[in-house]
Amino acid sequence: MSETITLEVIDRLVDIIRSHTSHQPKIGIILGSGLGSLADLVENSNIIPYQELPSWPVSTIEGHQGRLIIGLLEDKPVFFMQGRAHFYEGYNMAIIGLPIRVMKRLGIDTLIITNAAGAINPIFEPGELMLIIDHLNLVGMAGSNPLRGPNLDEFGPRFPDMSRAYDRQLIKLARQVALDNQIKLQEGVYVCLAGPSFETPADLRFLRNAGADAVGMSTVPEVTVARHSGIRVLGISGISNKANLDGNTTTTHEEVLSAGKEIVPQLTTLIKGVLRLL
Ligand code: HPA
């Protein structure tokens, strides 16, 4: 697959998805590693496995179910991605951003994006949620930006503004829901690395000095494509582990998945609360 995604590829996917559902969601929700069970609460759902969608990036990773679930949550039509693909699986960044462009053409104007992340900020604990206030696009700075290649003018400008990547109104709503439900909601800057190897202690000290609070291997490409096309974004990290700044502990994918079980109930309350207020 070439790096360029065309409007034809996007609109073919839109047609296929529309043929499977009569829901017309305006809200898209991406569920990260170990967080997919939230989508099981959707009612009146239409389910489409990613394998049935041509060019759609399919995750090969445990903890990512790999299907679209379109239906009702809190009586609102929502478009769930239960699992996502990552750059480290071998996909180019443009394909990682393809689902967001499909969402845009389906009429989605709000994206709630989640991930599992390691805590760099020493006050964060595994099992907590972090509201993403801003991100560091380290992979993009190094050249792998999902918007690289011909600009699709139908979606947005060649040089999109990223000064407010995470919507201030949605941040306020999330804070309010967390307060009302006694959910501890940390806030901070998320940094996306290419992975798949976890960080060395020196990597982590570098990232901490650069202003990062949590580290993961996703989200930033999707948010970049969403903002290009004017979709407003709420980003939430589930803190799955303490990043290993001193070199005395190890990080494993199993740890990330098991923390997900603790995070899902709080994440569910937070997302349902935000949906009610939208
Ligand atoms: N590092 C990178 N990605 C991650 C981590 C981590 O510690 N935890 C969950 N995703």
Side-chain angles (χ1 to χ4, degrees), residues 116-118 198-199 215-217 240-241 243 251 256:
F198 287 117
E199 303 73 40
V215 57
M217 303 172 190
S240 58
N241 57 290
T251 304
V256 173

Side-chain angles (χ1 to χ4, degrees), residues 1 11 15 47 61 69-70 77 81 83 97 137 148 150 176 233 251 261:
M1 164 71 63
D11 282 347
D15 289 344
I47 298 179
I61 308 302
I69 302 185
I70 305 160
M81 279 178 62
N137 187 2
R148 183 171 180 270
Q176 190 56 51
V233 177
T251 304
K261 295 196 184 79

Side-chain angles (χ1 to χ4, degrees), residues 34-277:
L35 308 177
S37 58
L38 204 162
D40 297 335
L41 302 174
V42 173
E43 292 171 340
N44 280 336
S45 61
N46 304 115
I47 298 179
I48 314 171
Y50 294 166
Q51 283 91 343
E52 291 180 16
L53 298 169
S55 305
W56 196 276
V58 178
S59 178
T60 58
I61 308 302
E62 195 195 338
H64 288 265
Q65 290 86 339
R67 50 194 200 158
L68 295 181
I69 302 185
I70 305 160
L72 300 176
L73 190 61
E74 294 298 313
D75 293 327
K76 297 238 162 63
V78 284
F79 178 99
F80 268 99
M81 279 178 62
Q82 198 180 37
R84 63 145 72 77
H86 307 80
F87 185 62
Y88 62 74
E89 294 175 71
Y91 296 105
N92 67 48
M93 282 298 191
I95 293 187
I96 303 291
L98 172 64
I100 308 297
R101 293 195 146 152
V102 172
M103 287 187 202
K104 177 71 185 181
R105 296 289 274 190
L106 282 167
I108 285 166
D109 59 19
T110 303
L111 175 67
I112 302 177
I113 190 161
T114 71
N115 58 54
I120 302 178
N121 187 322
I123 71 164
F124 294 179
E125 293 295 333
E128 291 178 349
L129 298 178
M130 184 192 87
L131 196 53
I132 306 178
I133 301 298
D134 203 350
H135 70 221
L136 271 169
N137 187 2
L138 214 56
V139 184
M141 288 182 209
S144 292
N145 189 301
L147 301 175
R148 183 171 180 270
N151 186 54
L152 290 181
D153 297 331
E154 296 81 357
F155 290 87
R158 171 76 288 187
F159 300 108
D161 178 64
M162 290 293 288
S163 61
R164 292 181 188 190
Y166 298 87
D167 186 82
R168 292 183 184 178
Q169 192 59 33
L170 295 176
I171 286 174
K172 271 194 199 157
L173 289 187
R175 283 181 185 141
Q176 190 56 51
V177 172
L179 203 64
D180 293 346
N181 292 278
Q182 287 100 41
I183 294 170
K184 184 162 187 189
L185 189 57
Q186 304 282 14
E187 299 192 359
V189 172
Y190 174 87
V191 60
C192 171
L193 304 186
S197 47
F198 287 117
E199 303 73 40
T200 64
D203 286 332
L204 291 163
R205 289 192 297 270
F206 165 78
L207 296 171
R208 183 73 189 132
N209 284 331
D213 295 293
V215 57
M217 303 172 190
S218 68
T219 302
V220 169
E222 293 107 313
V223 171
T224 304
V225 174
R227 292 306 302 140
H228 176 248
S229 61
I231 295 175
R232 62 184 184 151
V233 177
L234 176 67
I236 306 161
S237 291
I239 300 299
S240 58
N241 57 290
K242 271 190 176 285
N244 173 23
L245 270 84
D246 56 12
N248 290 333
T249 51
T250 55
T251 304
T252 65
H253 188 54
E254 289 64 40
E255 199 181 351
V256 173
L257 293 184
S258 82
K261 295 196 184 79
E262 200 182 325
I263 291 163
V264 165
Q266 304 172 70
L267 187 65
T268 303
T269 305
L270 186 64
I271 289 182
K272 283 172 111 183
V274 169
L275 287 178
R276 269 196 297 275
L277 296 176

